[in-house]
Amino acid sequence: MQAYARTDIGQVRAVNQDVCFCSTSPVGPLPNLFIVADGMGGHQAGDYASRYAIETFVDYVKAGAPGNLVRVVDAAVKTANLKVYRKSKEEERLAGMGTTMVAAFVEGTQLYAANVGDSRLYLIGSEINQVTEDHSYVAAMVRAGEISAEEARFHPEKNVITRAVGVAPSVKADFFEVDLAPGDKILMCSDGLSNMLSDERMFEIISQHDPHEAADLLIEEANANGGLDNITALIIEPGVKEADQ
């Protein structure tokens, strides 16, 4: 397995509110762990929310006992949510802060992912498929057939999310389990990437380069296209082997 993560402030924002975590080694009972969080909130609040959420998540997992790994991740999300929420109530400058969060780990030939918000996880094989579903106003319109996916990319309210970590005492993460095939790659990203490049262009870059080169090229192109938000790209190459015959 190899993986590489990169985050960039972009061309417009004054602060980078994206944070990522990338470990191909075990973290607590998890065999590996990858997280992307995109904070929201005025001044430094969004930056604090994403950092604090990931730190809390990772600390919880490190202290976790072996057991059902999906339940460990679910509990880590809930713990991070409650701690960010409580912190937002304790300090006025952090009031109203929150963050998206997409977390994943690979066990054997299975990918497990959890998400809250509109940061995404894609599976790249012979084509690109978005595994997670955005918790956003515009994504709900797409699912209802009111607008197309292409129209959603340029919708003025595309950044309005309907679920986030830290904005309420409790939160529900969506979970996904995916079979991995030899040659598959995984992309986790904030909307600062997915809003700047089409899925097809991301597929082209990732399928033709190793994770390190691909992440750098994705950031470079997102900035060239305007870099309107912070940009994070985390690419995983699980290294799944062909099954013995």
Side-chain angles (χ1 to χ4, degrees), residues 59-225:
D59 286 347
Y60 181 90
V61 172
K62 284 180 176 177
N68 184 294
L69 299 184
V70 171
R71 289 179 182 172
V72 170
V73 171
D74 188 35
V77 172
K78 287 179 165 61
T79 300
N81 178 80
L82 185 58
K83 289 206 170 187
V84 172
Y85 176 75
R86 286 175 174 170
K87 185 68 72 170
S88 74
K89 297 300 182 184
E90 292 169 4
E91 298 187 38
E92 187 176 344
R93 69 183 181 90
L94 302 176
M97 70 174 176
T99 183
T100 70
M101 180 177 280
V102 56
F105 67 92
V106 175
E107 186 177 39
T109 59
Q110 297 298 117
L111 165 69
Y112 299 89
N115 89 293
V116 178
D118 63 355
S119 292
R120 296 178 176 178
L121 184 147
Y122 290 90
L123 180 66
I124 293 94
S126 58
E127 58 184 10
I128 185 169
N129 288 297
Q130 183 180 337
V131 174
T132 55
E133 293 184 357
D134 296 351
H135 299 137
S136 71
Y137 172 67
V138 168
M141 292 173 67
V142 173
R143 288 192 287 270
E146 297 172 13
I147 60 173
S148 69
E150 186 61 21
E151 288 172 326
R153 284 189 65 216
F154 304 100
H155 196 283
E157 295 182 290
K158 64 186 176 185
N159 293 324
V160 179
I161 61 175
T162 55
R163 201 185 304 180
V165 169
V167 299
S170 62
V171 73
K172 181 181 181 297
D174 288 346
F175 282 84
F176 304 87
E177 181 179 349
V178 179
D179 294 327
L180 296 173
D184 282 351
K185 296 180 181 180
I186 299 155
L187 168 66
M188 298 168 66
C189 66
S190 62
D191 65 346
L193 179 66
S194 56
N195 284 339
M196 292 289 101
L197 276 72
S198 67
D199 287 5
E200 293 72 23
R201 182 56 183 151
M202 293 192 291
F203 171 74
E204 288 177 6
I205 292 172
I206 294 169
S207 60
Q208 295 171 11
H209 299 87
D210 68 33
H212 192 291
E213 293 171 330
D216 288 347
L217 287 169
L218 290 170
I219 299 285
E220 184 180 307
E221 193 155 318
N223 275 320
N225 290 345

